[in-house]
Amino acid sequence: MEFKARYSVVVVGAGPAGSTAAQILAKKGVDVLLVEKQREVGKDIFCAEGISRNTLKLAEEIFEIENPEKFIASRVNSVRIIGPDLETIDVRHENMGVTLERKIFDRTLAGIAAANGANLSVGTKFIQAERKNGKVELTLMKEGKLFNVTSDIVIGADGPASGVATSLGLPMETDDEEVHRCAQFFIYNDRIVGNRLDFFFSEKYSPTGYAWVFPKGNGFANVGLGVLTSSGKDPMEFLKSYISDFFPDSKIIGWLRGVVPIGGYNKRIYADNLLVTGDAARLADPVTGGGIGPAILSGKIAGEVAFEALERGDLSEKFLKKYEKIYWDRTGIDYKVSLILKEYLKNYTDERIIKLHRVLKKLFDGKDLETISITRLFINTVKVSKDLFGLFFGSGGDVLFNLRKIILR
Ligand SMILES: Cc1cc2nc3c(=O)[nH]c(=O)nc-3n(C[C@H](O)[C@H](O)[C@H](O)COP(=O)(O)OP(=O)(O)OC[C@H]3O[C@@H](n4cnc5c(N)ncnc54)[C@H](O)[C@@H]3O)c2cc1C
């Protein structure tokens, strides 16, 4: 593909955030360039591939997908939470979410955006950008050659350590408390339960984080583990002992290391001519590390606000601030609850988790999420942990009143 000298919008990164922004803009007839440094969209994926039903629904709506089955590995209808003493809590809910074939998912989204008119250029790396005369000049590299293109708006969807944000004066600097370091094996083991997500909390195997088993169907699963960078621990070490203790006879089909940046709530995610989305903006859930939903939602809102800015001819940060406001108005409560839980879990001990687990077991075990009483949940939470209740209470009533919605999201 030949580059033009000028585009209305350049989106950097064809992950879920970038493809969503490009899709929204292309559908509105905007001249948008979507660049992806990998030779093939979805070639390198760092993910356990689980999403909620709401995220799936959002993607289906935005991309007008009628047959999601081609990128669904397994449908999820229960969650198991395992404590350090190996006690379990099983919660059911029909159609909780799915595990994806993420390579196919990412390719599908980028392909649909391109089919709707986005100019997709793979094997194209963003190098740098600078503002000139109210626009942005970007330097891109393709097949070893440098190209310059000009754009009214740039959407940074280039994942953790966003070069786009830094280049345009919006560094997303990292605090060790705000990055989960993860390791994951893709395994085959005939004991994997096809429709259940497992979350395992224990000081021994997952200090400051948790281990997960996300089934991919037919005995395959992503088994991984995350720890906060501030813990100074290497997640791979813990994961190896977790696998050898709990899935000793597994066949290892693949492995990866990756990071999930969080903490976007306290950062500015817009500037003149610039909107930053998804992992580039650090929008993943602080506790679960789920970032696909936030990536798609932020990509959607960024695309819509960019369109409005172009229509009005106002590319200033004063106008683009709207993007941040709409995003946090939609998701701020969920994010706040997660931040509070993250604080609680940060210094957990097995003893503390076992105590909390026992209370939650009485409330949740064997139940359908729809039938769970939030009032009882809180009364029991206070009983077990005044500090956890204090954290919620201190954060304001809005968190308390919206909890049911959050749990069922
Ligand atoms: C081990 C692990 C497990 C996870 N599990 C889950 C999970 O189960 N569920 C969930 O919701 N989230 C999960 N996440 C988080 C999730 O993967 C991310 O939040 C999500 O991919 C963010 O989407 P994005 O579009 O913002 O960024 P990305 O998916 O990272 O996409 C960014 C794109 O930008 C491209 N790019 C980067 N730099 C440049 C450049 N200079 N020029 C051009 N292109 C560039 C990259 O190649 C990439 O394609 C997990 C993360 C990890 C590490």
Side-chain angles (χ1 to χ4, degrees):
M1 189 197 103
E2 293 284 307
F3 294 113
K4 292 191 292 184
R6 242 203 97 176
Y7 295 90
S8 298
V9 181
V10 174
V11 180
V12 180
S19 292
T20 304
Q23 159 77 352
I24 296 286
L25 288 159
K27 288 275 288 177
K28 291 179 185 291
V30 173
D31 193 16
V32 53
L33 173 66
L34 172 61
V35 296
E36 169 55 53
K37 72 177 177 187
Q38 297 179 57
R39 285 183 294 105
E40 196 181 319
V41 174
K43 187 167 162 287
D44 287 323
I45 294 289
F46 301 90
C47 193
E49 306 176 270
I51 58 170
S52 69
R53 60 178 172 176
N54 286 349
T55 295
L56 178 63
K57 196 161 154 246
L58 186 63
E60 285 172 350
E61 279 167 13
I62 295 170
F63 290 89
E64 296 168 19
I65 295 167
E66 280 168 10
N67 175 19
E69 297 307 322
K70 63 184 172 186
F71 52 69
I72 292 177
S74 188
R75 294 217 172 246
V76 175
N77 55 28
S78 71
V79 164
R80 171 169 286 186
I81 300 165
I82 307 157
D85 52 358
L86 304 186
E87 277 292 324
T88 57
I89 303 173
D90 285 291
V91 187
R92 285 179 287 110
H93 194 60
E94 240 355 277
N95 187 19
M96 257 181 189
V98 300
T99 55
L100 295 168
E101 289 299 347
R102 183 107 188 243
K103 281 176 199 243
I104 303 174
F105 180 71
D106 280 27
R107 278 178 212 171
T108 304
L109 303 194
I112 293 174
N116 279 303
N119 301 282
L120 171 62
S121 182
V122 292
T124 304
K125 188 172 180 185
F126 166 87
I127 303 295
Q128 59 124 26
E130 60 181 308
R131 291 185 185 81
K132 275 189 185 165
N133 307 319
K135 304 201 183 301
V136 178
E137 190 176 290
L138 297 99
T139 308
L140 306 172
M141 182 186 274
K142 185 163 189 170
E143 292 170 13
K145 292 192 197 124
L146 293 177
F147 298 86
N148 286 327
V149 302
T150 302
S151 182
D152 293 323
I153 295 181
V154 179
I155 296 184
D158 48 341
S162 170
V164 173
T166 312
S167 202
L168 289 169
L170 204 61
M172 292 277 154
E173 68 282 348
T174 312
D175 180 320
D176 282 354
E177 288 262 315
E178 295 179 335
V179 180
H180 290 286
R181 293 172 65 204
C182 308
Q184 182 174 275
F185 285 120
F186 181 45
I187 67 163
Y188 173 79
N189 189 309
D190 53 17
R191 283 187 296 115
I192 297 292
V193 179
N195 304 96
R196 191 184 75 210
L197 304 185
D198 286 0
F199 297 88
F200 182 48
F201 291 85
S202 114
E203 268 181 278
K204 181 176 171 198
Y205 295 100
S206 52
T208 73
Y210 67 91
W212 62 81
V213 180
F214 284 12
K216 295 279 306 274
N218 302 315
F220 292 96
N222 289 317
V223 181
L225 189 150
V227 296
L228 282 177
T229 302
S230 53
S231 72
K233 315 267 189 209
D234 177 0
M236 187 56 93
E237 251 175 58
F238 289 92
L239 182 59
K240 282 180 182 161
S241 59
Y242 177 70
I243 296 259
S244 78
D245 289 355
F246 293 100
F247 298 97
D249 44 355
S250 299
K251 306 294 170 216
I252 308 293
I253 317 291
W255 65 272
L256 60 85
R257 282 175 183 272
V259 294
V260 181
I262 56 176
Y265 196 61
N266 300 321
K267 307 231 179 326
R268 195 145 69 85
I269 55 176
Y270 64 92
D272 287 340
N273 313 85
L274 174 68
L275 299 168
V276 190
T277 57
D279 271 8
R282 307 183 163 281
L283 300 180
D285 183 280
V287 171
T288 66
I292 301 171
I296 293 175
L297 183 63
S298 61
K300 175 179 186 284
I301 298 169
E304 288 165 352
V305 170
F307 176 71
E308 223 186 308
L310 292 168
E311 291 273 282
R312 295 168 61 118
D314 186 351
L315 314 175
S316 68
E317 63 173 42
K318 196 165 164 228
F319 181 76
L320 295 175
K321 183 179 184 5
K322 193 172 173 178
Y323 156 64
E324 186 177 89
K325 179 164 180 353
I326 297 173
Y327 184 79
W328 290 120
D329 281 354
R330 291 271 299 268
T331 62
I333 289 290
D334 301 27
Y335 198 89
K336 265 195 228 168
V337 169
S338 263
L339 270 183
I340 292 164
L341 286 175
K342 176 190 152 248
E343 279 310 303
Y344 181 78
L345 291 172
K346 194 172 70 185
N347 300 315
Y348 76 65
T349 56
D350 281 352
E351 196 192 350
R352 211 174 175 194
I353 291 292
I354 288 170
K355 234 167 130 191
L356 184 61
H357 200 263
R358 280 189 188 143
V359 174
L360 297 178
K361 189 172 171 84
K362 279 194 200 135
L363 288 165
F364 285 98
D365 195 35
K367 300 236 167 80
D368 189 304
L369 264 185
E370 293 282 4
T371 64
I372 285 162
S373 154
I374 298 304
T375 322
R376 278 194 58 215
L377 174 68
F378 264 97
I379 291 167
N380 285 286
T381 306
V382 184
K383 276 189 200 153
V384 70
S385 167
K386 290 200 172 59
D387 49 346
L388 179 59
F389 180 77
L391 281 168
F392 274 106
F393 195 71
S395 72
D398 50 353
V399 169
L400 297 181
F401 289 123
N402 283 285
L403 207 71
R404 177 188 291 279
K405 187 193 101 201
I406 291 156
I407 289 179
L408 283 174
R409 75 180 182 256

